[in-house]
């Protein structure tokens, strides 16, 4: 799970740098919305990682089963990027 979290953090940081570069060069149709979107996804990843790390504490035993798939879903758009692992692909429902 730690590898997936790091993978997501790295991809979101790359995306944020690309968006900021586009904003800085006044590229049309790129703006603060994209930065806000990436920041909110980063906060979701951090929240889930913290919750999953506490599975030995106050969290019920089923947390991994319920929260880990959310991380997997957040990684799907990056499936074509180097470092993505097929084991991270969420199961089809």
């Amino acid at each position: 799970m730690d590898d997936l979290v790091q993978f997501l953090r790295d991809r979101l940081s790359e995306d944020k740098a690309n968006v900021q570069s586009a904003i800085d060069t006044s590229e049309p149709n790129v703006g603060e919305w994209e930065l806000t979107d990436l920041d909110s996804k980063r906060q979701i990843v951090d929240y889930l990682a913290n919750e999953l790390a506490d599975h030995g504490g106050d969290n019920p035993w089923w947390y991994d089963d319920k929260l880990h798939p959310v991380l997997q879903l957040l990684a799907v758009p990056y499936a074509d990027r180097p470092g993505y692992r097929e084991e991270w692909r969420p199961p089809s429902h």
Side-chain angles (χ1 to χ4, degrees):
M1 196 262 320
D2 291 338
D3 291 343
L4 175 55
V5 168
Q6 190 58 53
F7 176 82
L8 282 166
R9 286 176 175 156
D10 290 347
R11 298 302 73 76
L12 291 168
S13 292
E14 289 171 2
D15 286 352
K16 185 174 181 178
N18 290 335
V19 168
Q20 188 61 59
S21 177
I23 291 170
D24 292 346
T25 59
S26 300
E27 188 173 311
N29 302 320
V30 178
E32 292 298 318
W33 185 93
E34 288 81 2
L35 289 177
T36 301
D37 180 59
L38 292 167
D39 284 339
S40 68
K41 288 176 183 172
R42 176 64 180 259
Q43 289 177 40
I44 291 168
V45 169
D46 290 345
Y47 174 80
L48 292 170
N50 288 335
E51 288 295 310
L52 287 165
D54 190 33
H55 63 82
D58 295 335
N59 293 339
W61 61 268
W62 47 263
Y63 252 44
D64 285 353
D65 292 343
K66 299 296 181 188
L67 299 182
H68 191 258
V70 178
L71 290 171
Q72 292 175 306
L73 288 167
L74 287 168
V76 167
Y78 301 109
D80 64 339
R81 303 272 184 100
Y84 181 85
R85 299 181 193 166
E86 279 304 310
E87 66 202 54
W88 294 338
R89 192 169 297 281
S92 302
H93 291 285

